[in-house]
Amino acid sequence: RTPRRPPRTVREALQECYIAPRTSPFPIQIDQQHNLISQSPDAQDERDISDVTINIQSASWDFDSCQLRSASGHALMLHGDSKVCVSRSKLGGSGTREDAMALVAVTCADTSECALLDSVVELCGTGGVVVMHGAVAGLQQCAVERCNVAMHVADSAQVGLMDSSATGIKWGLIFVPE
């Protein structure tokens, strides 16, 4: 696999995310067992990841037809210069009870980039997608459902929403802190 050039804009991040044809009728199930999927061997990051289902530190991953769930934590967290593509997947909480809802479905920090295509972000107590620092996140043909806030955008982060919908949002579509 050849390394991808890091996208500079939301549109480029989405264009570099290839959706392969569905090859299996059974989606990969990744549950809320707080698995550490990828961590750079030279990482000195001391962030608390005890409530993170999937933590990706400066790596590239593609998820297709997955269930990325968390109860009271983060379903997917990106750090460093991670590049992640999520397509035809569901991210967020594992149920509607307060203790089954995720805190956040996707957190993009540092200079990470995340493209979500044809996916559902749902059941989040705080926010569906949190993008901060210099991170880039793009949602295309996605649905954000039953979250308090659909997106948190902070610092110099970039966010793009294209052909997407938000329903059951309690406090607002986009929150930008002072």
Side-chain angles (χ1 to χ4, degrees), residues 1 3-4 6 36-47 49 54-63 76-85 107-114 133 135:
R1 190 170 143 168
R4 296 188 262 183
L36 179 67
I37 298 297
S38 171
Q39 175 119 15
S40 173
D42 57 350
Q44 299 299 317
D45 199 340
E46 298 200 15
R47 293 179 177 139
I49 58 164
I54 298 176
N55 182 59
I56 299 176
Q57 176 70 41
S58 298
S60 296
W61 282 82
D62 293 327
F63 297 93
L76 176 61
M77 185 174 282
L78 314 177
H79 303 282
D81 62 348
S82 297
K83 312 287 184 264
V84 173
C85 175
T107 300
C108 303
D110 306 324
T111 58
S112 63
E113 297 168 0
C114 184
H133 309 132

Side-chain angles (χ1 to χ4, degrees), residues 143-162:
V144 180
E145 301 171 350
R146 296 177 286 174
C147 298
N148 286 336
V149 175
M151 303 187 84
H152 288 249
V153 183
D155 309 316
S156 59
Q158 297 180 56
V159 174
L161 293 166
M162 288 147 282

Side-chain angles (χ1 to χ4, degrees), residues 11 14 24 47 52 64 66 80 86 89 107 111 130 133 137 156 169:
R11 184 168 304 284
L14 287 166
S24 169
R47 293 179 177 139
V52 177
D64 186 17
C66 295
V86 179
S89 297
T107 300
T111 58
V130 174
H133 309 132
S156 59
I169 306 301

Side-chain angles (χ1 to χ4, degrees), residues 3-100:
R4 296 188 262 183
R5 178 187 68 78
R8 297 291 175 240
T9 66
V10 171
R11 184 168 304 284
E12 286 176 324
L14 287 166
Q15 287 172 344
E16 287 193 11
C17 187
Y18 171 70
I19 299 180
R22 188 174 299 234
T23 57
S24 169
F26 306 106
I28 298 168
Q29 296 290 322
I30 300 176
D31 62 15
Q32 63 267 18
Q33 295 300 314
H34 307 304
N35 298 317
L36 179 67
I37 298 297
S38 171
Q39 175 119 15
S40 173
D42 57 350
Q44 299 299 317
D45 199 340
E46 298 200 15
R47 293 179 177 139
D48 179 13
I49 58 164
S50 61
D51 65 346
V52 177
T53 303
I54 298 176
N55 182 59
I56 299 176
Q57 176 70 41
S58 298
S60 296
W61 282 82
D62 293 327
F63 297 93
D64 186 17
S65 303
C66 295
Q67 296 271 343
L68 308 178
R69 301 291 187 176
S70 175
S72 303
H74 299 254
L76 176 61
M77 185 174 282
L78 314 177
H79 303 282
D81 62 348
S82 297
K83 312 287 184 264
V84 173
C85 175
V86 179
S87 56
R88 296 184 297 239
S89 297
K90 290 189 176 187
L91 304 94
S94 57
T96 56
R97 287 191 344 235
E98 188 173 325
D99 64 341

